[in-house]
Each structure stands twice: as C-alpha cells, then as structure tokens.
Amino acid sequence: MTDNAVEVNFDGLVGPTHNFAGLSPGNVASQRHAQQASHPKAAALQGIDKMRLLLRLGLTQGVLPPHERPSPIGLAALGFPRDTETAAALRSLADARPWLLSAVMSSSAMWAANAATVSPSADTGDARVHFTPANLISTLHRSFEGPATARVLRRIFADDRHFVVHDPLPSHESFADEGAANHGRFAAEHGQPGMHLFVYGRDNEIVVPPGAFPRRQTLLASQTIAASHGLDPDRTVFVQQASAAIDAGAFHNDVVSVTNGRALFFHQHAFEESIADQLAAVDGLQLIEVPGEQLSLDDAVSSYLFNSQLVTLPDASVVLIAPSDVLELESTREYLASKPGGIDAVHTVSIRESMSNGGGPACLRLRVVLTPSERSALGARVLVDEPMLDQLAAWVERHYRDELRPADLADPQLVDEVRTALDELTQLLALGDLYDFQQ
Ligand code: SUG
C-alpha cells in the first residue's frame, strides 16, 4: 500500500486549431458538426473552467500540452519532405484533398483519455508507473498522435526511477488501441493495489457486421498492454463492450461507463455479458447501473451522462462532474433528480465545443495515480494551481482565434499563431523545446 497517492486528472489543453471536420465515423457528434465553424478560444477556456472546478473541489489537476499543428508526423506520412515550406504543404492539401488538411490540423490530442493507458505503481511488476501511448490507428487524424504523445509523456514522466513510457503498440489493426477510454481501475484507495478492467470492441473471433460502426479497441491490444505493464493476471479483467452500444455511437467504452474507487457507473447495455459476473473478484464492488428502460442507449450517447468524471473528494464524498447536456434531456435530468445511490452530488460543466466533436468531461482527462515522490519527480510544471490557470486563460486570450472555418485551416498566418502560442506555452509549463519547430 502506498500512502497519500492521489489521482491526478491531466486534462488535454484544447489546441488553437480546434475545428469540426467530421473525421470520426461512429462518433455521431463529430459527424453532425462536420464543416461547421468552431470557436477555439471558447473551447480552450471551457476546458480551463472545468479544471478550475476540480481544483476548487480539492482535487489535484494537471495539464497536457496540445500537439504541434500541422502535425509534422502527418505531413511526413502524406509525402511532404521535411524541408517543404509549411504554407505550401497546407495549400496543396487544401486544393487536392481538404480532409487531409483537417487531419493534419486537428486538435484531437485534447481528448487526453485517449492519450495512453496508465497503470499506477501499486499494481505494476516493477513498482513504477507505466504508460502506453495509444496508437489510435482507427482514424487517420488520431493516428498521428501516438509518437507525439510518447514525446510529451517522456518529457513529463522522464524520471526512470519512477516512470516507464512504452512505445505505442504496432500500427496494425490487430493492435488497435484507444488508451484509457477503454480502461478502468477499482481500488479502495488510489494507492492500494487495484483491479484493472479492460474493455474491448473486437478480437479476431468477433465478426463485425458490414456497415457497423468501427470497433476501435482490440482484445489483443489490451492484453499486450496489461502484460507489458506487469499487471497481475489475477487482478486483470477483459470484458467485451456491447456491440449495440458501439452501434448506438459509444465509440469508446467511456461513453457508457466510468469507474471510481470501487464503483462502476454504467448503462445496463454497456457490456456484452453480465458485468456483475465478470467483476465478481472485485472486493467491495459497487455497481451503479442505469436501466435501459429508464435511459435509452441513444439518450446515454446524446447526453454523455456516463462520460462524466466520477471523483472522490478529500472529505470522501463522491461527485459526478457531468456535461451540462444532462440537464437538457428529460431522461437524464430525471435520473439525476432521483439522487442515485453512490453519487453524493452532481456538478455540471459547459464544454459545448468539445462535446460537438464527441468529447465529454471524461474524454478530456487522463487519470494518473501518483505518490508524493512520483509527483515531485515530474519533469515539467504541469500540476496547476489557480494562478497557473489564470496564466493559461490569459495565454488563450492572447493567441487563440474566436472562430475558425474549414477554409481557415490553410491560412499561413494560423501556422504562425500556433507556433507563437506553443512556444510560449512550453516556457509557461517548463517543457523545454518540445516541438519540432523549436529544434
Ligand atoms: O476520437 N473526436 C474524438 C473524440 C474523442 C472522445 N474521447 C473519449 N470518448 N474518450 C474521436 O472520435 C473528432 C474530430 C473531428 O471530426 O474534427 C474527433 O476526433
């Protein structure tokens, strides 16, 4: 047992190129908002407000920087030699295939739940915190994130006495991996040994019907991560997500369930088989199940009720940080008004810009359990307090545009703005020269 370990929520900062490009089949919000104008400044400030709420509730909050845009990995993969002038590359993509332009400009790294799968040191074979950056190969724009995420995590979690950052899994569909969005953990206290829940959408035996939404997580990917982190096989459970949930638009399992402490808050139709049976080995398991007749899968997906953050405050009360959309639907409003057992209070946050691309409160954060010595071994100034959030908000106000339209993505001026902003951010967060344009 490790005393005083806390769960740090590392939120992805929304990047200055946040836009709506419809790049994610099976993600109904992304499809619905394709090609609409986005609001990067509002988006980033909404994310910062959410972090401020968690901080004020007494939780430990961290931040992860946006990735460089256009993505140097993406441009290289699309055939542009390193010395191509960036403006020329963007113009050529805009003329030939605009969707590739949006792919290299996407701000999708903001959804930090997809950055990596993380195992706390209390559970791993070598008592270090293990990270596997997700390869995100199911969508082109997100497939550029894996190596960039590895670089960010290796900068922050550089101290190899405490941390191991693995390479992303092989870029092959058998290893399709979407990170912590399909992973949960049960533990009485964060620092105590936990039970790991890995949720997959397909393995090689599951036949995916033609026309069905993509199954983004494979069993093989989850098993490989569990093994490489040195997790105890007796404390690891692999569960299949319900096909019906994926086909209703739950492209990640965190759209239909969330864990905290020894609790699982979930939709009745989230899993293919009885979750109570599959989690029988979890000591003191607390199931908070929402029946399908009270809340349809469609309403679960449109409200993102289960993409809330379920967190335990220092006074031991359990709070649900839900998207304000739950107040707009009658079914979710009534469910929450019934004061479900296991949830002491509900706070709502307005993160409309992220929600319009299918990213709720839980998508925006990566949970990392850290002991005091692990926290003091961090390699950058990424744990935030209120003054730091004020500085980040002022930084957003200085550099982000109010509005971005699809055609603006090829604007060379935007590239300059992004570089100026990110350069300043690396100084603010003491990240060093992190980005390619800084080399
Ligand atoms: O991978 N949307 C993201 C949303 C990720 C949400 N994360 C979790 N559920 N954990 C995705 O589908 C849309 C980008 C666009 O269409 O412009 C996008 O990538």
Side-chain angles (χ1 to χ4, degrees), residues 19-24 27 30 106 108 111 113-114 141-142 181 216 251-252 254-255 307 357-359 363:
N19 72 96
F20 300 127
L23 294 172
S24 288
N27 171 342
S30 145
S106 176
S108 53
W111 297 298
N114 305 116
H141 65 299
R142 304 213 65 182
R216 297 200 201 176
F251 53 95
H252 292 133
D254 68 4
V255 175
N307 201 261
N357 250 341
C363 299

Side-chain angles (χ1 to χ4, degrees), residues 25-28 208-209 211-215 245-250:
N27 171 342
V28 284
V208 179
F213 283 162
R215 277 73 173 128
I246 298 176
D247 291 331

